[in-house]
Amino acid sequence: MARTNRRLTRSARYRSYTGGPDPLAPPVDISEALDAIGEDVMAGASPERAMREFLRRGGVDRTGLDDLARRVAERRRELTSRHNLDGTLRQAKELLDRAVLEERKQLARDVDLDDAERALSEMQLESLPPSVAAAVSELSDYRWHSSQARRDFEAIKDLLGREVLDQRFAGIKEALQNATDADRAAMRTMVDDLAELLAAHRRGEDTRERFEQFMAEHGRFFPDDPTDVEELIDSLAQRAAAAQRMRNSMTQEQRDELDALAQQAFGSPDLMASLGRLDAELRALRPGEDWTGSSRLDGDQGLGLGDGTGVFQDLADLDRLADQLAQSYAGSQLDDLDLDMLARQLGQDAALDVRTLQRLEQALRDSGVLRRSADGQLRLTPKAMRRLGRTLLRDVAERMSGRPGAWDVRRAGSAGEASGASREWAFGDTEPWDVTRTVTNAVVRTAASGGQTAHGVRIEMGDVEVQETEARTQACVALLVDTSFSMALEGRWVPMKRTALALHTLVTSRFRGDDLQLVGFGRYAEVMDIEQLVGLDVGYEKGTNLHHALALANRHFRRNPRAQPVLLVVTDGEPTAHLEADGEVWFDYPPDALTLARTVRELDVSMRLGARTTFFRLGEDPGLARFVDSMARRVEGTVVAPELEDLGVAVVGSYLGARGPRLFGEDEPGPFGGRGFWVG
């Protein structure tokens, strides 16, 4: 006995875990999701919508909801294109034809048969109507001479009885194979008792005891083992509604033929009367089920009544899954997905894909990269902005390091002061080691690999971290970005935001002494923090108010008189608006002479404040080209006309070059007219 118990315990220990999310599953990687969400947010989507769009699209190696929805649609299309609804009629006709053929053979062989009786039998067989139901009805009193023909004919009645029962009770068709008259009688008794139980429940009577008695007597007919009458009704009503949808999908001729044939089920119309009463009770108890729907099935494989009802249940499941996967209703969430239904229709791998997406969504919400604001909206946190900014800055660095004249310096101004940060050592670094971090890395690595640290640790190159330094040069930077509608219309909206975020990340992480101000200008200009700019949606008001933006930049420069002013202007259009003395906006197109004059006047103020100015001209507008060229000559500035994918490279390179020679040296030319290139 002890050996047996040990064997049972050991077998139970390795069963699949079904208590919720797999506690041993590795943590999900949110980096790809965060990058995709950031891109969508910069394109104008809310973080909530961006997250849902990523879950819908999926990742490089991660299935999304759209792919699962496609598989659901393919599964539905497969069911409807493979099957048709005449399976039972076809089977009945085959049995009838075989019975008639066997009877004719017997009549021809039977030499002892009276000629008159033979002639009468042959005449009856010859005059059978083309309708299978009518032919079966006419032959119900026929005296068969062939025992095989009689068995085939009785098989029609048995087939119909099992099919109509299988429509209501899944699996009964096989259970009643070779059933006796007693088995059929027990089945009819169960249907009558069930109808009475449901009628009592519909009247509001307490049916708990009655349900227990019913299950004790007829429970073998219900392998799903319902726990109460409500669960029993749910199961029966779903299948009965599917049977009705199957009937609705048939032609009128098919319905009439099957109705007539069904009266011959088990050789008596009593069964159909009992089933009709049962259907009526189920309709009354579950009016919310789909009793009126239909689907067209136009394949070659005929379905019996029971199998066809199962297919219509599958179609209903697939339709529900399609709605759940669409996530288009108010308050929708991934937890709404019925994973058991999904596994039943698409396999366990589909359910596993959804569980992974659920874990990813929860990880995004728990990671600190998304938060609920006071107005209830989901927003990117500063942590998410820093992470996204580092990714964008890394992309800028990779692009710049491959350009002629660009420097890929992996150290922050070595002649500067320690920034308090450290990073992993790379070949060519000359900064001093961060000893504390280096030793800590070695201890952690040794302990994680099972080694002993009591007698010291061995330092490997991967453990080494170096101190980062930042230059002493201080700059006061104003990045002016055009937020007019044309920027979005021409596909420049996201590159503009990516550029601003990359520059913001560079300044706040490597040049903390610099003061960066972001100004967006459309009809009005506005000082924005990075979260506001990244989440900015497209505006449809006309106007490019560079005059107002320059006025805000000059105010920023005046507040930092000891810093080097750096003015960076990203635009795709000539100034078409300016700010009046009363604060109202004047707009005109083509640009009004007064607008141009006031814009030039503010630019002259920037020059007197010592600003190093760079214009980033987007697009091929000749009017804009003439304007920015003349403005740059006026203030001894620079004009850059980058491709959209190089906008970030151009802005970052110009910022670094404009900070002055103290970091890079006078004779170190950088990209786009700058003085050199630094990247961390």
Side-chain angles (χ1 to χ4, degrees), residues 110-126:
D110 195 346
V111 296
D112 297 330
L113 187 62
D114 181 81
D115 290 342
E117 184 178 355
R118 187 197 316 276
L120 180 61
S121 297
E122 289 177 347
M123 184 178 65
Q124 282 185 271
L125 296 178
E126 287 293 339

Side-chain angles (χ1 to χ4, degrees), residues 46-48 368-382 384 531 535:
S46 68
E48 182 81 43
V369 300
L370 298 172
R371 62 175 171 79
R372 291 280 177 192
S373 60
D375 59 1
Q377 297 296 314
L378 200 64
R379 300 192 184 280
L380 294 179
T381 63
E531 290 84 2

Side-chain angles (χ1 to χ4, degrees), residues 7-69:
R7 185 164 57 250
L8 290 175
T9 302
R10 188 161 53 248
S11 64
R13 186 180 301 162
Y14 294 102
R15 287 183 298 182
S16 299
Y17 179 76
T18 57
D22 184 356
L24 301 180
V28 292
D29 182 9
I30 66 172
S31 57
E32 181 187 12
L34 182 59
D35 290 345
I37 290 170
E39 287 289 320
D40 285 350
V41 168
M42 286 189 286
S46 68
E48 182 81 43
R49 192 174 75 198
M51 180 175 67
R52 289 188 176 276
E53 282 301 313
F54 179 79
L55 296 175
R56 182 183 304 283
R57 295 191 304 264
V60 175
D61 297 314
R62 182 177 287 120
T63 299
L65 296 179
D66 280 349
D67 186 64
L68 292 172

Side-chain angles (χ1 to χ4, degrees), residues 134-430:
V136 170
S137 179
E138 285 198 15
L139 291 174
S140 59
D141 297 327
Y142 179 79
R143 191 174 75 84
W144 296 92
H145 299 83
S146 166
S147 58
Q148 180 61 49
R150 184 184 303 108
R151 285 192 295 272
D152 287 339
F153 184 74
E154 292 299 324
I156 297 175
K157 300 178 181 180
D158 182 70
L159 169 69
L160 293 170
R162 290 187 294 121
E163 286 283 9
V164 296
L165 286 171
D166 204 40
Q167 277 193 296
R168 278 77 174 181
F169 310 98
I172 288 295
K173 180 180 178 181
E174 288 74 21
L176 290 179
Q177 187 84 31
N178 302 318
T180 64
D181 290 340
D183 294 330
R184 299 187 186 99
M187 189 71 200
R188 281 194 289 268
T189 300
M190 183 275 291
V191 173
D192 290 336
D193 291 349
L194 178 58
E196 291 176 6
L197 170 65
L198 299 187
H201 189 75
R202 181 171 56 83
R203 292 192 298 268
E205 300 176 14
D206 187 350
T207 55
R208 285 175 293 184
E209 183 177 348
R210 194 166 183 170
F211 170 76
E212 295 296 336
Q213 294 174 350
F214 175 83
M215 291 301 296
E217 184 175 352
H218 304 297
R220 66 186 183 279
F221 295 114
F222 303 92
D224 52 346
D225 194 23
T227 58
D228 55 35
V229 69
E230 290 291 340
E231 191 174 320
L232 174 65
I233 292 170
D234 285 340
S235 176
L236 292 173
Q238 288 171 8
R239 189 157 180 92
Q244 183 60 48
R245 292 194 299 275
M246 179 180 179
R247 176 181 170 82
N248 298 342
S249 303
M250 295 177 177
T251 65
Q252 186 62 50
E253 181 182 0
Q254 287 174 320
R255 286 196 291 268
D256 293 343
E257 191 82 352
L258 283 171
D259 288 346
L261 270 176
Q263 298 303 316
Q264 303 293 326
F266 293 147
S268 169
D270 295 343
L271 177 62
M272 291 306 298
S274 298
L275 290 175
R277 181 185 172 198
L278 176 62
D279 287 346
E281 294 295 343
L282 290 172
R283 276 179 177 265
L285 287 164
R286 292 294 185 269
E289 291 288 340
D290 183 7
W291 300 93
T292 59
S294 64
S295 294
R296 181 178 177 180
L297 275 64
D298 50 8
D300 298 326
Q301 183 177 327
L303 288 171
L305 296 179
D307 291 340
T309 299
V311 166
F312 274 81
Q313 281 189 292
D314 286 340
L315 292 176
D317 284 353
L318 292 169
D319 289 341
R320 281 193 288 270
L321 286 173
D323 288 340
Q324 293 170 8
L325 289 167
Q327 296 278 287
S328 57
Y329 48 92
S332 60
Q333 53 187 354
L334 287 183
D335 289 342
D336 297 342
L337 282 164
D338 188 329
L339 298 186
D340 291 335
M341 185 187 298
L342 189 66
R344 190 166 61 248
Q345 296 298 334
L346 299 185
Q348 287 293 339
D349 62 322
L352 181 61
D353 288 336
V354 171
R355 289 193 185 96
T356 302
L357 290 176
Q358 289 173 337
R359 290 173 53 227
L360 174 63
E361 180 184 32
Q362 193 60 46
L364 284 168
R365 296 184 185 277
D366 295 343
S367 65
V369 300
L370 298 172
R371 62 175 171 79
R372 291 280 177 192
S373 60
D375 59 1
Q377 297 296 314
L378 200 64
R379 300 192 184 280
L380 294 179
T381 63
K383 176 181 178 181
M385 302 295 282
R386 289 193 298 272
R387 183 168 182 167
L388 183 59
R390 286 195 298 269
T391 300
L392 297 176
L393 186 57
R394 190 180 306 116
D395 179 64
V396 168
E398 290 173 356
R399 286 178 175 275
M400 291 183 71
S401 62
R403 292 182 176 278
W407 292 40
D408 186 5
V409 183
R410 299 187 59 86
R411 54 191 179 276
S414 56
E417 298 175 347
S419 67
S422 64
R423 58 176 170 77
E424 185 178 351
W425 176 88
F427 180 78
D429 282 337
T430 59

